[in-house]
Amino acid sequence: MSVTIKFNDIIKKYADKTVISGLSLDIKKGEFFTLLGPSGCGKTTLLRMIAGFNSIEGGEISFDDRVMNRITPQHRNIGMVFQNYAIFPNLNVKNNVAFGLKNRKIEKEEIEQRVDRILDVVQISQFKKSMPENLSGGQQQRIALARAIVMEPNVLLMDEPLSNLDAKLRIDMREAIKEIQHKVGITTVYVTHDQEEAMAVSDRIAVMYNGIIQQVGTPREIYQRPSNIFVASFIGRTNILERSLKQEGGKQVLIMGEDYKLEMNHIPQKEKIKISIRPEEFTISSTQEGIAGEVQHNVFLGTNVHYTVKLNNDEFVEVIQEATLGEPIEPGTKIKLLMNKEKINLFDYETERNVLEEDSYAK
Ligand SMILES: Nc1ncnc2c1ncn2[C@@H]1O[C@H](COP(=O)(O)OP(=O)(O)O)[C@@H](O)[C@H]1O
Ligand SMILES: [Mg+2]
């Protein structure tokens, strides 16, 4: 049975150090939900609170309508997968997966059936009789996942489960994990500091910093409409520029360059503003229009070319363009940069919060 998870104004202290002060969050039934943030921001702390391994100094954690604060970990029906797989080296694959079921005194025949079904779901049936040491890291992680899911937990928790795998295997495994989660439909809370991994697996993501949730949203909402400058910079790469807004002929315009202005709708009247433009949102223009600059540096990366461009006001921006069959633009070349104004995000100069109104969000 999958459950909803609700944090209501929770507080976590380690001795007298408060690491989470008043956090609220709703995770939906069956959802693949990710806690994403830099090391030390409190992801593992929150996950351990769901599992019941951490005390709670204030507020409530509930599964569906049941308050869990005082329920011991054994009674929460949680499945867990960590980066060190913690599988038993002396048991073969089948017995590793069957271990928890045997402890529950389930009948032999039912154990066989459930283990077979799960090995099939995680696609390691052919290794049923193998010993873990003869399997790759990715296959061992599938055993750990199978062992957790076979117990039919209410909630599946995963803390950086792919960190020990090499880059290529990590990409294969994140697809496998997402697919397996969707098949079994267990409410899943996944922890990672890797933003690309978070975007690849999640239904929704909570971006955390300093024990505080900065934004909750789908991968696309978080990437395209970050709620503040921290989120804009942490998710993907971006250029943060300071610019001014002016009223011209009853219209609000953003002064991007000497001769380049963009008319903006639905934004508050501010003089100074911070903006975020991702490197791939610029277009290098062959017309006279655009922000004037000079190419400083180029790096050819196969699909794309990364340029460092120095603007006329001495600002540097990163620009990514799809590679063409010709040579990349040489350093020293004068260029103009255009941008798609729909994709720009504007932030309050002081609070650094996104000032775009809800109805200007990309739907
Ligand atoms: N057992 C502990 N005792 C004291 N402080 C801790 C303990 N566990 C974590 N912390 C502190 O709590 C903060 C959040 O840690 P953690 O939840 O492990 O972050 P993350 O998983 O995001 O890297 C950090 O400042 C960390 O030093
Ligand atoms: Mg951690």
Side-chain angles (χ1 to χ4, degrees), residues 39-40 42-45 159-160 191:
S39 181
K43 306 180 294 296
T44 296
T45 297
D159 196 348
E160 313 253 5
V191 161

Side-chain angles (χ1 to χ4, degrees), residues 32-49:
F32 199 132
F33 193 90
T34 297
L35 302 170
L36 169 68
S39 181
C41 72
K43 306 180 294 296
T44 296
T45 297
L46 266 190
L47 208 68
R48 289 175 57 86
M49 292 176 92

Side-chain angles (χ1 to χ4, degrees), residues 183-200:
K183 251 185 229 164
V184 295
I186 302 169
T187 310
T188 298
V189 188
Y190 188 95
V191 161
T192 181
H193 64 273
D194 179 334
Q195 49 93 17
E196 199 179 286
E197 188 175 305
M199 291 209 282

Side-chain angles (χ1 to χ4, degrees), residues 85 87 132-143 165 169:
Y85 331 116
I87 48 188
E133 63 184 1
N134 298 324
L135 301 181
S136 71
Q139 288 158 346
Q140 294 193 30
Q141 199 51 298
R142 286 175 198 255
I143 305 176
L165 305 179
L169 196 52

Side-chain angles (χ1 to χ4, degrees), residues 316-344:
F316 286 87
V317 292
E318 190 185 335
V319 176
I320 298 179
Q321 301 287 283
E322 195 182 325
T324 60
L325 287 178
E327 290 293 329
I329 302 167
E330 288 296 321
T333 311
K334 305 266 188 213
I335 56 160
K336 294 280 173 94
L337 291 175
L338 294 177
M339 64 208 63
N340 177 353
K341 70 178 181 182
E342 305 296 324
K343 288 198 168 173
I344 300 176

